[in-house]
Amino acid sequence: MGKLGYLIKRVKNMNFDKMFQTIDLVNKKTNKSKISIFFDIINCGIKYQAGYVDYNLYEMYKMNKDERKTVVTRGINNEIIKKYNDMTYAYKFEDKALFNNLFNKYLNREWIYIKESSIEDFKKYLKGKKEVIVKPLSLSCGKGVEKIVVKDHNPEELYNHLMQTDQTLVEDVAIQNKVLSDLYPKYRKKKLYGQVRADVRDIIKTLCNYKGVEIIEGAVYIDHVHLCVSIPPKMSVSEFMGYLKGKSALMIFDRHPELQNKWNKAFWARGYYVTTIGNVTEETIKKYIQEQYKELKEEDGAAFERQ
């Protein structure tokens, strides 16, 4: 199915009440007129295969046309899936219970499909568990998925309720590996565009100037920053990174207080990667950042102002 066919299918199955709720939400956030938001959603649907969910989720109303090109919308995602996969096997991934049966040895968590299990089997499964995830078999985008606190429910009543709501796949709660949680306690926040990006660039330059740190090359991307810097001998790398990340976060939140509440005072992820010119040549690092800079200019329209 081509882009036109995909759009026709999406319009045919669209929940217009939800779309107008999204328009109201964006209107409150931006003070843009509802008419302009409506036509912008239509425009994003035609140009980028973005539905109203994509438009709101990725905050496309804040992006310029080059930034919008970088978003993998639902339509683009579907094209990629169909291009690189044999769709005759798609049913094995769409049916969650079938998927769990086929790939059970890789899941590393317990689960039960209650349509094929008795109440007694369900009680045994729940024993010793604090929380479980319940899912419908066929819905997507997280619809119908809930986290259930086991002690708050009578097992038999919960079993009957889940059968009625068709949330018949019950799984253990997946817990992220502690090492990854320490490195990325939240997620990479794809928010470094527009005024936030400009401010990040300005703040980093200001903080480097305060400490006599020379920025040789650099680029601010939508979710991370690359820097090649020369640090004074009296300053350690860890000292510089602690200073740069700590001070810049405070300054960014000072300019954009709405981000502080949204991200629970954690603008940067906890980890960072550093290498020295002694291990990699200066020319290699400069070339890498310059190449990334060129790609960014083509795709995203803004980058760190090179010194």
Side-chain angles (χ1 to χ4, degrees):
M1 184 184 296
K3 290 183 180 180
L4 181 59
Y6 173 79
L7 286 171
I8 292 172
K9 182 180 177 182
R10 293 291 294 149
V11 170
K12 184 179 178 182
N13 297 321
M14 184 178 292
N15 185 326
F16 286 96
D17 287 338
K18 292 285 187 182
M19 185 183 77
F20 287 114
Q21 286 175 19
T22 298
I23 291 172
D24 289 340
L25 185 64
V26 175
N27 167 257
K28 290 177 182 177
K29 289 180 179 178
T30 65
N31 290 322
K32 294 180 180 178
S33 73
K34 294 182 181 181
I35 292 294
S36 68
I37 295 168
F38 172 80
F39 283 108
D40 196 34
I41 289 175
I42 300 300
N43 176 60
C44 285
I46 295 169
K47 285 189 176 180
Y48 313 108
Q49 300 185 62
Y52 61 84
V53 175
D54 292 325
Y55 186 81
N56 183 46
L57 180 64
Y58 299 110
E59 297 182 333
M60 295 180 77
Y61 49 84
K62 291 183 178 179
M63 298 181 182
N64 61 39
K65 64 179 181 180
D66 293 316
E67 289 167 340
R68 287 175 170 182
K69 290 177 184 177
T70 68
V71 178
V72 180
T73 61
R74 185 172 180 180
I76 293 172
N77 178 69
N78 288 344
E79 284 187 349
I80 293 170
I81 290 171
K82 290 176 181 178
K83 183 175 181 180
Y84 294 105
N85 295 279
D86 184 343
M87 296 308 293
T88 57
Y89 296 98
Y91 72 96
K92 295 183 178 181
F93 297 86
E94 292 168 350
D95 184 321
K96 298 181 180 70
L98 177 59
F99 176 91
N100 279 15
N101 268 314
L102 289 172
F103 302 102
N104 186 51
K105 67 179 181 179
Y106 304 107
L107 294 179
N108 292 320
R109 65 176 180 268
E110 294 182 350
W111 59 278
I112 186 170
Y113 179 39
I114 63 173
K115 272 193 176 178
E116 297 178 355
S117 307
S118 67
I119 291 180
E120 291 306 314
D121 290 333
F122 184 58
K123 288 180 179 178
K124 288 178 183 178
Y125 168 77
L126 292 180
K127 191 174 181 179
K129 301 184 189 301
K130 293 181 179 180
E131 297 174 325
V132 293
I133 297 293
V134 300
K135 304 176 179 178
L137 287 194
S138 58
L139 298 180
S140 60
C141 300
K143 294 177 182 176
V145 177
E146 290 184 65
K147 181 187 283 187
I148 300 293
V149 178
V150 175
K151 69 179 180 63
D152 293 343
H153 299 271
N154 174 283
E156 291 187 15
E157 291 177 359
L158 178 60
Y159 178 92
N160 292 328
H161 171 74
L162 296 177
M163 291 288 280
Q164 289 173 3
T165 58
D166 208 29
Q167 295 166 297
T168 51
L169 184 63
V170 186
E171 300 178 341
D172 288 4
V173 176
I175 300 173
Q176 180 164 283
N177 183 284
K178 185 179 183 304
V179 175
L180 292 177
S181 293
D182 289 343
L183 286 173
Y184 295 97
K186 301 291 181 183
Y187 45 80
R188 265 195 172 183
K189 313 175 188 75
K190 298 183 181 298
K191 299 292 184 182
L192 301 182
Y193 52 77
Q195 189 57 48
V196 175
R197 168 175 289 158
D199 288 342
V200 167
R201 207 164 48 229
D202 177 61
I203 287 167
I204 289 175
K205 289 172 66 177
T206 299
L207 291 173
C208 285
N209 285 336
Y210 284 163
K211 293 292 185 179
V213 173
E214 179 188 359
I215 300 176
I216 299 168
E217 293 287 344
V220 178
Y221 300 82
I222 198 167
D223 59 3
H224 65 287
V225 176
H226 282 161
L227 288 174
C228 178
V229 297
S230 176
I231 302 174
K234 63 181 181 180
M235 182 181 292
S236 69
V237 172
S238 60
E239 181 186 355
F240 170 68
M241 290 304 301
Y243 158 79
L244 186 64
K245 292 176 67 180
K247 292 290 187 183
S248 63
L250 292 174
M251 294 171 73
I252 291 162
F253 286 143
D254 184 57
R255 298 189 189 187
H256 301 275
E258 73 280 3
L259 301 181
Q260 188 170 10
N261 294 328
K262 188 173 184 180
W263 295 338
N264 196 26
K265 301 180 181 180
F267 185 80
W268 302 111
R270 190 176 302 175
Y272 58 85
Y273 173 77
V274 174
T275 189
T276 64
I277 299 299
N279 297 325
V280 182
T281 67
E282 180 178 334
E283 288 306 312
T284 299
I285 294 175
K286 288 173 66 176
K287 182 180 178 183
Y288 173 76
I289 294 178
Q290 287 167 1
E291 288 174 351
Q292 295 291 305
Y293 172 86
K294 289 177 183 177
E295 290 182 12
L296 185 64
K297 287 294 286 183
E298 291 173 2
E299 297 179 1
D300 213 14
F304 203 103
E305 190 174 309
R306 302 206 307 277
Q307 306 301 301

